Amino acid sequence: MEFGKVDPNTLDAIDFTLPADPAGTTAILQATNHARPEIFVGCAKWGRKDWVGKVYPPGTRESDFLEHYARHFNCIEMNATFYRMPTVSQTNSWREKVGPDFKFCPKFTEDITHGKRLKDVQELTDRFLEGIAGFQNNLGPIFLMPHPSMGPQTQDTLEAFLKALPRDLDVFVEFRNTGWFSDPQAFKSVFEMLTHNHYGSVISDASGRRDCVHMRLTTPEAFIRFVGNGLHPTDYTRIDAWVQRIKQWMGHGIQKIYFFMHQHDELHSPELIKYFIAELNKHCGTNVREPAFIPQQSTLFDLPPMSAPTGRRPSRKF
């Protein structure tokens, strides 16, 4: 994932502090009364050959990757549907490989969001919704990323597209155009529109786009896309901050949390998820299942364990 990528040498100089919750977020949470939230944690893809021997057993075939992925994680952020229109036979076959509580969270296809910029897309949208119908009860929220060129001047187009969707869909919107965040009136207007129509807002935490860490919830559900930097020490301190914010939201009655791990190289996403879940369970009293890594055989030529960030577990132990 290239979004928000920066020169690794600049990471220590970035202020990764999570902003305080806006008043709109506080109001949304105060209006809820939910004892314990549902928590879903996962990656952006399951087709990683370099996870064989780490997450997937040695010798696992690519056709079996999803089945093994679902034994460790309870959801998947499906960028695959952004690049290719899904078919019902395809999504049905994926559904058959997971358990009843697993959630697929597909992304609207780029032909809809980037090709046509959400205009005159009824036929494409119908095809997309027909395709993801194969997920049945395993369908989680769908997320929409309007083309990055679509700024505040396109709010009417965005609202018209959303209102044309079936009302029973759980939809979250991710904004990347800087105009939504640099103009306070545009920010207020679009997030109030989402709130009024009961659409969720995606919070994207990437090193080079701190404006997208807006912390504005528009429903009592959070959809967080976290972009790490290859297990850099700041990845861990950023995760610590998210655990504390989630703990705060849990105290205010949040209903669902979707937390998706990204890396610019997805090789180490499982390690950071394992750390996130362990800290979440420790500080929030949750019981989210941790991914189980395959034990590595040590040899006489193994290097000594690497030093972990202060207060962190060494990454080699995952």
Side-chain angles (χ1 to χ4, degrees):
M1 185 176 185
E2 294 300 307
F3 176 68
K5 189 174 184 178
V6 300
D7 182 340
N9 294 319
T10 68
L11 289 171
D12 288 324
I14 296 174
D15 182 2
F16 285 110
T17 305
L18 292 180
D21 288 344
T25 294
T26 302
I28 287 288
L29 294 179
Q30 287 179 343
T32 66
N33 184 18
H34 199 73
R36 301 293 292 178
E38 294 181 81
I39 300 177
F40 298 91
V41 185
C43 301
K45 57 185 69 174
W46 66 72
R48 294 288 306 198
K49 294 180 181 180
D50 46 16
W51 290 357
V52 175
K54 177 169 68 174
V55 179
Y56 307 149
T60 301
R61 299 175 301 175
E62 287 188 59
S63 59
D64 295 327
F65 281 1
L66 175 57
E67 180 181 347
H68 287 281
Y69 174 94
R71 295 175 183 175
H72 298 275
F73 310 102
N74 62 0
C75 66
I76 182 79
E77 182 195 284
M78 291 210 66
N79 281 313
T81 58
F82 176 74
Y83 297 106
R84 179 175 295 181
M85 183 71 74
T87 65
V88 69
S89 61
Q90 183 181 54
T91 56
N92 186 63
S93 68
W94 287 336
R95 177 186 55 80
E96 291 175 343
K97 294 178 180 289
V98 304
D101 298 324
F102 187 91
K103 297 298 181 184
F104 293 92
C105 304
K107 188 175 185 178
F108 275 99
T109 304
E110 63 178 339
D111 290 345
I112 297 170
T113 59
H114 288 43
K116 295 210 167 191
R117 308 291 205 273
L118 304 182
K119 290 185 176 180
D120 301 319
V121 291
Q122 188 63 56
E123 187 271 334
L124 287 170
T125 302
D126 288 345
R127 283 175 55 199
F128 176 81
L129 296 179
E130 179 183 355
I132 64 173
F135 289 133
Q136 299 182 26
N137 292 334
N138 291 101
L139 177 64
I142 308 168
F143 77 105
L144 171 74
M145 187 189 79
H147 190 278
S149 69
M150 295 183 67
Q153 75 281 5
T154 66
Q155 180 173 327
D156 289 346
T157 299
L158 170 64
E159 184 171 7
F161 173 80
L162 290 170
K163 286 185 174 180
L165 296 173
R167 295 301 301 171
D168 60 345
L169 286 181
D170 193 7
V171 180
F172 284 77
V173 182
E174 179 187 21
F175 297 109
R176 292 196 178 178
N177 185 281
T178 57
W180 298 111
F181 308 109
S182 61
D183 181 344
Q185 184 54 44
F187 182 93
K188 181 175 185 290
S189 177
V190 76
F191 282 95
E192 285 185 352
M193 182 273 289
L194 294 180
T195 300
H196 178 74
N197 291 289
H198 308 290
Y199 301 116
S201 58
V202 174
I203 299 173
S204 297
D205 186 341
S207 304
R209 286 296 305 272
R210 304 312 297 162
D211 54 343
C212 295
V213 196
H214 52 77
M215 309 309 286
R216 177 62 160 91
L217 301 183
T218 52
T219 67
E221 301 182 2
F223 191 118
I224 301 153
R225 306 182 79 207
F226 182 97
V227 187
N229 293 288
L231 305 185
H232 186 272
T234 56
D235 286 355
Y236 295 90
T237 54
R238 292 166 62 198
I239 289 293
D240 292 344
W242 270 111
V243 167
Q244 292 306 313
R245 184 59 57 91
I246 289 171
K247 181 179 181 180
Q248 177 183 318
W249 287 347
M250 288 176 62
H252 293 154
I254 195 167
Q255 294 178 1
K256 290 183 182 179
I257 297 165
Y258 298 89
F259 195 100
F260 295 103
M261 190 64 66
H262 293 261
Q263 296 275 356
H264 298 302
D265 176 354
E266 302 289 357
L267 172 64
H268 295 300
S269 290
E271 284 90 337
L272 206 52
I273 284 183
K274 186 175 179 69
Y275 178 80
F276 169 71
I277 293 177
E279 293 299 296
L280 193 71
N281 290 341
K282 175 182 175 182
H283 293 281
C284 300
T286 53
N287 189 30
V288 181
R289 180 183 57 190
E290 290 187 36
F293 288 76
I294 296 169
Q296 301 296 306
Q297 273 194 324
S298 60
T299 74
L300 293 175
F301 302 100
D302 278 351
L303 294 173
M306 294 185 296
S307 297
T310 303
R312 310 288 180 267
R313 291 172 290 176
S315 62
R316 285 173 58 92
K317 290 186 178 179
F318 292 121

